[in-house]
Amino acid sequence: MKKSSFIALILGTVSGVLFALGMCMALLPEWNAFTEGVIFGAIGIVLSIVTALIWCKMENKKLPKLNGKNIFRIIYAIVSALVLGVGMCMCLVWNQIVWGTLIGLLGIIMLIALIPMIKGIK
């Protein structure tokens, strides 16, 4: 494993955990930590952006351009992750196992579709 990949792995994991913990803190009323959760979530987002910048610098790569195609991919990825999350909520929170599983699988399929959308099919 290259040094840049290892650093990106560690920083990406830390940023993901901070973001997830922040969302749990903000969205679970039992925790009474909305403000702290928003702060943790924001730190996670900023750290993920810093991770991407560090990785690009270490790999001597340019940042992706923000054209229409990339903006569509970003929006599609966000919607796909939200569909997966709704399926998980339906299973775990609302006790709708069958529909939650089906919607979660749809979200997974949508996320898998990102691979050929970004890399292309050869």
Side-chain angles (χ1 to χ4, degrees):
M1 176 180 273
K2 294 189 328 188
K3 183 179 178 181
S4 61
S5 297
F6 181 71
I7 290 173
L9 174 74
I10 298 300
L11 288 174
T13 302
V14 170
S15 66
V17 168
L18 283 174
F19 179 75
L21 181 62
M23 291 299 98
C24 288
M25 290 169 71
L27 298 175
L28 291 174
E30 298 87 16
W31 289 17
N32 292 323
F34 180 79
T35 305
E36 296 86 353
V38 171
I39 293 169
F40 269 64
I43 291 171
I45 290 172
V46 169
L47 187 58
S48 67
I49 293 169
V50 169
T51 301
L53 294 173
I54 289 172
W55 183 80
C56 285
K57 180 77 172 169
M58 290 181 79
E59 289 286 320
N60 293 323
K61 294 188 177 192
K62 295 179 183 175
L63 292 174
K65 295 179 183 173
L66 281 180
N67 54 19
K69 186 187 265 187
N70 286 340
I71 291 173
F72 171 75
R73 291 173 180 163
I74 291 168
I75 292 171
Y76 180 81
I78 291 169
V79 169
S80 302
L82 288 173
V83 169
L84 176 60
V86 167
M88 291 176 61
C89 284
M90 289 177 77
C91 286
L92 299 172
V93 177
W94 302 323
N95 292 324
Q96 296 179 355
I97 303 299
V98 175
W99 284 108
T101 302
L102 292 175
I103 292 175
L105 284 173
L106 175 65
I108 291 170
I109 291 168
M110 290 173 69
L111 286 169
I112 290 172
L114 273 172
I115 297 169
M117 190 183 300
I118 293 172
K119 293 288 184 182
I121 298 175
K122 297 178 184 174

